[in-house]
């Protein structure tokens, strides 16, 4: 096996065995606490350009299949694991994780103490890192001098309008780096979805006569796509709106709130969220490095509906005077848990009520 090294910006070095691509990479290093769902994570556009550490010690044990992808190709810059499974135990498996990394030109490192690495990121925060094949100072310096892989919703967005046809309500989706599982969740509810590039105008979207607007998830800093805020502001006065993850943050910004970069973010499938009335607690799938600043909501028409139990961050918002709301987590529940799928049903109910009221 080829020896490779993960070098952090703070000088920490982790030695491991390389697999997949041999290329040198430079990116932001983050970690996920999910016990399953490695395939969904590697192809989730919310991880676009990031180097992903899996805290679960064995990755690849159920292989790779074609059905559980969130996009056609990996969106992560590199993967770091404790151990890769040599054998797979799932009837749907088509190849091993290491073979997938080779085919997709994805750099990986195994035999890393991911527990120690995750603790370091938890205490010091997400940071830049490089994957190199030598500890030569010149090699490391040149690796850090390479352009940092940019985690950008604009780059992750579609460039053209396309449709996921169905016979039900018509939803316009602004794509900031959507997960295919959102489309699957809506298809299961017979929703007709038209997906638009992130920079589409409100006037262009209204030409399809939609019943509602969905703001998708996506990577990076929401302030980098502030061009979408006027569109959101115009459409929320006309249509029911649901924002998911990045969409939640943009919904907040469009209505006068602020966002901030978290120390190490929420990434995994085990984040507990409680609603405002303390009547319901959900375990949720999350993947974000930014959050809504609650203090900035004071002079807005936004109301907090849900909070993360562990750190109290804002997990849900709604407008007081419009059928528009958002959640920071992923209700599409891919790969799970499925506690929060009801969010899509509430969105559909809001569209039906809006139709009956003659507002469309």
């Amino acid at each position: 096996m080829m020896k490779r090294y993960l070098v952090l910006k703070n000088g920490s070095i982790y030695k491991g065995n390389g697999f997949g691509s041999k290329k040198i990479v430079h990116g932001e290093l983050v970690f996920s606490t999910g016990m399953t769902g490695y395939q969904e994570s590697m192809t989730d556009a919310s991880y676009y350009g990031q180097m992903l550490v899996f805290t679960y010690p064995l990755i690849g044990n159920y292989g790779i299949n074609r059905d559980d992808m969130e996009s056609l190709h990996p969106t992560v810059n590199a993967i770091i694991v404790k151990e890769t499974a040599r054998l797979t135990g799932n009837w749907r498996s088509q190849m091993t994780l290491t073979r997938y990394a080779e085919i997709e030109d994805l750099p990986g490192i195994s035999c890393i103490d991911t527990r120690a690495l995750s603790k370091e990121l938890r205490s010091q925060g997400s940071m830049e890192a490089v994957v190199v094949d030598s500890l030569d100072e010149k090699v490391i310096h040149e690796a850090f001098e390479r352009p940092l892989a940019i985690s950008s919703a604009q780059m992750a967005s579609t460039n053209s309008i396309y449709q996921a046809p169905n016979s039900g309500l018509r939803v316009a989706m602004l794509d900031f780096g959507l997960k295919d599982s959102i489309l699957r969740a809506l298809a299961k509810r017979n929703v007709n979805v038209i997906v638009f590039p992130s920079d589409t105008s409100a006037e262009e979207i209204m030409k399809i006569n939609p019943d509602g607007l969905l703001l998708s998830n996506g990577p990076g800093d929401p302030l980098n796509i502030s061009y979408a805020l006027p569109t959101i502001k115009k459409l929320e006065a006309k249509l029911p709106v649901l924002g998911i993850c990045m969409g939640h943050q943009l919904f907040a910004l469009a209505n006068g709130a602020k966002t901030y970069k978290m120390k190490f973010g929420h990434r995994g499938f085990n984040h507990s969220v409680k609603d405002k009335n303390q009547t319901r607690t959900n375990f949720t799938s999350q993947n974000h490095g930014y959050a809504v600043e609650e203090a900035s909501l004071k002079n807005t028409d936004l109301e907090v509906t849900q909070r993360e139990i562990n750190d109290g961050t804002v997990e849900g918002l709604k407008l007081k005077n419009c059928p528009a709301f958002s959640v920071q987590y992923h209700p599409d529940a891919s790969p799970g848990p499925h506690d929060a799928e009801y969010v899509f049903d509430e969105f559909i109910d809001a569209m039906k009520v809006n139709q009956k009221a003659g507002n469309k």
Side-chain angles (χ1 to χ4, degrees), residues 13-189:
I13 298 173
Y14 293 82
K15 177 182 177 181
N17 295 326
F19 63 92
S21 173
K22 297 180 181 180
K23 64 185 179 184
I24 293 174
V25 290
H26 176 205
E28 182 186 29
L29 189 66
V30 300
F31 67 90
S32 170
T33 58
M35 295 177 64
T36 60
Y38 54 81
Q39 182 172 321
E40 291 89 338
S41 295
M42 289 188 297
T43 56
D44 180 354
S46 294
Y47 281 116
Y48 191 93
Q50 293 178 318
M51 304 168 69
L52 179 57
V53 180
F54 291 102
T55 61
Y56 191 70
L58 179 65
I59 300 297
N61 54 313
Y62 53 87
I64 299 290
N65 68 76
R66 66 181 181 182
D67 298 323
D68 292 335
M69 302 290 187
E70 293 296 344
S71 54
L72 290 175
H73 302 285
T75 55
V76 294
N77 210 19
I79 53 175
I80 297 91
V81 304
K82 174 69 172 88
E83 181 181 355
T84 56
R86 289 172 290 178
L87 299 175
T88 61
N90 189 299
W91 64 272
R92 295 191 304 156
S93 175
Q94 295 172 305
M95 67 184 78
T96 63
L97 172 64
T98 53
R99 178 58 181 155
Y100 176 71
E102 291 172 3
I103 292 172
E104 293 290 349
D105 197 31
L106 175 65
I109 307 181
S110 64
C111 298
I112 294 290
D113 186 347
T114 52
R115 178 179 173 84
L117 177 56
S118 299
K119 289 176 69 175
E120 184 169 3
L121 294 176
R122 190 179 63 186
S123 63
Q124 298 193 32
S126 300
M127 70 179 78
E128 292 180 39
V130 294
V131 173
V132 293
D133 51 14
S134 168
L135 290 181
D136 182 275
E137 289 186 8
K138 182 180 179 181
V139 171
I140 295 173
H141 176 74
E142 289 179 351
F144 275 110
E145 287 296 309
R146 289 171 176 243
L148 181 68
I150 298 174
S151 185
S152 165
Q154 188 171 16
M155 294 175 67
S157 172
T158 181
N159 293 319
S160 59
I161 300 170
Y162 66 92
Q163 185 175 17
N166 231 308
S167 57
L169 292 162
R170 179 177 295 174
V171 167
M173 184 188 299
L174 271 177
D175 176 19
F176 303 107
L178 67 84
K179 295 170 65 179
D180 284 352
S181 51
I182 295 178
L183 296 176
R184 293 193 290 268
L186 293 171
K188 186 167 69 173
R189 291 161 174 81

Side-chain angles (χ1 to χ4, degrees), residues 209-229:
N209 195 27
D211 296 299
L213 173 69
L214 197 151
L215 310 172
S216 86
N217 63 292
D221 186 344
L223 289 175
N224 290 338
I225 43 176
S226 57
Y227 57 79
L229 303 185

